[in-house]
Structure formats: structure tokens, C-alpha cells
Amino acid sequence: MNTQALGVEYYLAGMRAALDDLPPNEVAEIMEDVEAHVAELSTELGENETIEQRLGSPEQYAQELRSAAGYPPRTERLPVTTKKKLLSRPRAAAWGLAIATGVTLLAGTAALREPAILLLPGVILVLSLALVHDRGATQAEIMALPETIKIKEWLTPEAGTPAERALAYLRSLQPAWWLARAGLLGLGAVLLASRDILGFLFVAAIAVVSVYAGPRAKTDRRWLWFSLPASALAVGLLFQVIDTTADNLAYNNRSVYQQVPSMPQYENIYAYDENGKLLTNVLLYDEDGNPINAPRQYYGCSGDDPQPMIPANRYPRPKIDYENGTCYTVAPDVSAPSSTEDTPPSSSDAAPSSPVSPTSVSPSK
């Protein structure tokens, strides 16, 4: 470290000592603006000029800032004899951030079905951030918590180890993750567009702001209350999209192998009365009065050949023959195909008849 930097650090340390009777958060707020000013001033000094010549001693400059901010004159700090509170404002805010991030991850897996579930982690985040929003951008009190220090130790492996190299590589991918996160959130918004317009607008707004929040959180720790839950929501949405896609693929595969029952097709219908006698010229209709028409196929009757004009719902239908280039109708045999086993038609009840040979060339009406 050069002489100039040492002078700046020495001057700032003297100011902190002169302000140490104030609450830590107020000292941090004062020093946040002073550090940049003193560092900039040190670059403008002459060859033999010092910071004290410009600003006065650290104690004097600290007293000026204290008076300008409305703080009382310095008093000696009394030794702290009371036990620290277990749940302080910084700890409540830190744990609120951790809990809200976990809840957002779980909520993200169901957000496409019920977007209103995101209100729960949103309320937790707002309340926890409100506890420390006025403590400055660095959030020094939260960074000084024992649990925060422990996490930083876990995330700072020894130099030269594989874990350190892997962590350094992952940190280099942060800009790519910020874009991927915005893409996942945008996909979730698109999937919500047709079902929940408010959910679509909410998730789309998170996607847009997340692009700005990523790099901003590195200098202003208050943005972590947005950036971390946004990442958790993106991961939760990714899990839900994967699960939904897998279900759709499995459903489609089942549909391919599922046999579709085929409906029987009839070309003719034979009706019998209660005595087993074949009925002729029967017209059939459904419950809506529509004719019940079985398929008709006139083999050979094409082109300019006349086709018999037979009502499509008259049964039993005559047989259509094609002979010498002309279509003929042949009356159906009264000895029709056998009926069901329960009511077999009796040959004695049906009047005998012989097949009718081809007759007129004119179509039957």
C-alpha cells in the first residue's frame, strides 16, 4: 500500500475513533460519504501537503460533521453491561431474506397454477427489508452477524484448491445467469398470459427488474432482497416447466398406444316384427327425426351410368347389380341373414320367395 493510501486510512480511522460514541449504524452512514470525499481529496494534494492541512485533524473534521448532522457533542462511551438482544433488527432482516427465498423457491413450483401464492414471500421480503433499509447500502450490521460471517467462510475456500477455482468460475458466469434468469421469468409470464393477467404482469415486471438488480446487488446489498428471491422463483418455474413437459410427453405416449374402439359399419338393416316376420320398406329415423342412413356403395355405377334413387333410410335395401353397362336393382330376399340367437326368425313364419332377377333399367323410387 502506498503512502497516500496509508494517509487516507489513518485519517479515516481517526474519524471513526472520534465518532465511536454514536450508534454503529449512524457512524456507518456518516463515513459512507466521507470515505469517498477523503480519497478524492488525497489525489489533489500537493507534494508536501497533507489531508490535515486541508480538513483539519480527524477529530476536528468529525466534530464538524457531527454538528452538521445535528448530533450532540462527543461523550465517553459507557461500557455495555446489558446482554445483546437475540432477535435484533439486522438478524430479523437477514432471516427474513433467507426464509422468503426458500418460500419463493417452493412457490415457484406452483406459481403457474396459482400465481397468488407469490404474495406470501413478497410480504416477508417487504417487512424484512423495511427493518434495515435505512442502514445504508453496505448493510454492515448484517455482514457482521455471526451467521453471515460463517456463510462467508463457507463461500471462501482456500486459494488454489479445486473448490476455489470452481467458485471463481461460477462467479464469472453471473452475467449469463442474470440473462437466463430473466428468460425463465419471461417464459413463466408468457405461460400465465392466457390464464391470469395480473400474474402475467407481476412475473413480467420481476423479469424486467431482475436484469437491473443483478449487477446492482454487488454494490448495494439492499438489492439482495430482490435478486435472491427472483433467482429462487426462476428455478422454481424451471422445475414446474420440466414437470409439466414430462407429464405431457407421458400422456402423448399413452395416447399413441391406446386402442380406439371401432364402431361397426352396416350396409343393410333387416327388421322383424314380434312374430319373426321380415318387414319391408321400413323407414328408420333417430330421436331428432333425422334419417338413419347406412353407407351405400354402388360398384360399377359411375360416370354417366344412372344410379338408383333409393331412400337412404329405407330398409332392407335392394341389391344393386351391374350388368351390360347398366345398373339394376334386385329386391332383397325375404330369407334375410339370421337374427340374434335370442329371437331367431322362423322359416315357417316368413313367406317363401325367390330372388328377383334383374329387371328394369330405370332406378327405383
Side-chain angles (χ1 to χ4, degrees), residues 288-361:
D288 297 323
N290 299 317
I292 300 177
N293 302 327
R296 290 188 296 179
Q297 295 182 351
Y298 298 146
Y299 298 102
C301 299
S302 60
D304 297 332
D305 293 338
Q307 296 189 6
M309 302 298 293
I310 304 171
N313 65 328
R314 177 183 291 175
Y315 302 98
R317 288 176 175 169
K319 180 182 178 182
I320 307 299
D321 272 351
Y322 182 79
E323 186 176 330
N324 298 326
T326 306
C327 286
Y328 290 87
T329 60
V330 182
D333 193 346
V334 292
S335 57
S338 299
S339 63
T340 61
E341 296 179 358
D342 295 335
T343 57
S346 174
S347 59
S348 61
D349 294 337
S353 65
S354 58
V356 181
S357 59
T359 57
S360 172
V361 298

Side-chain angles (χ1 to χ4, degrees), residues 208-268:
V208 174
V209 179
S210 68
V211 178
Y212 172 82
R216 187 67 177 175
K218 301 182 72 173
T219 57
D220 189 342
R221 291 299 182 182
R222 289 172 293 190
W223 279 101
L224 288 176
W225 272 258
F226 181 90
S227 185
L228 289 181
S231 296
L233 177 59
V235 174
L237 289 174
L238 177 62
F239 287 158
Q240 185 173 5
V241 170
I242 293 175
D243 181 65
T244 303
T245 303
D247 289 344
N248 290 337
L249 291 177
Y251 175 79
N252 292 335
N253 290 336
R254 289 195 300 267
S255 300
V256 170
Y257 294 104
Q258 184 178 7
Q259 294 183 355
V260 179
S262 58
M263 299 298 295
Q265 299 289 335
Y266 304 102
E267 294 186 2
N268 212 338

Side-chain angles (χ1 to χ4, degrees), residues 1 4 11 25-26 76 85 164 168 189 282 291 307 327 335 362:
M1 184 177 294
Q4 180 180 353
Y11 193 87
N25 62 302
E26 297 178 0
E76 292 299 327
K85 293 182 179 179
E164 190 272 338
V282 176
Q307 296 189 6
C327 286
S335 57
S362 62

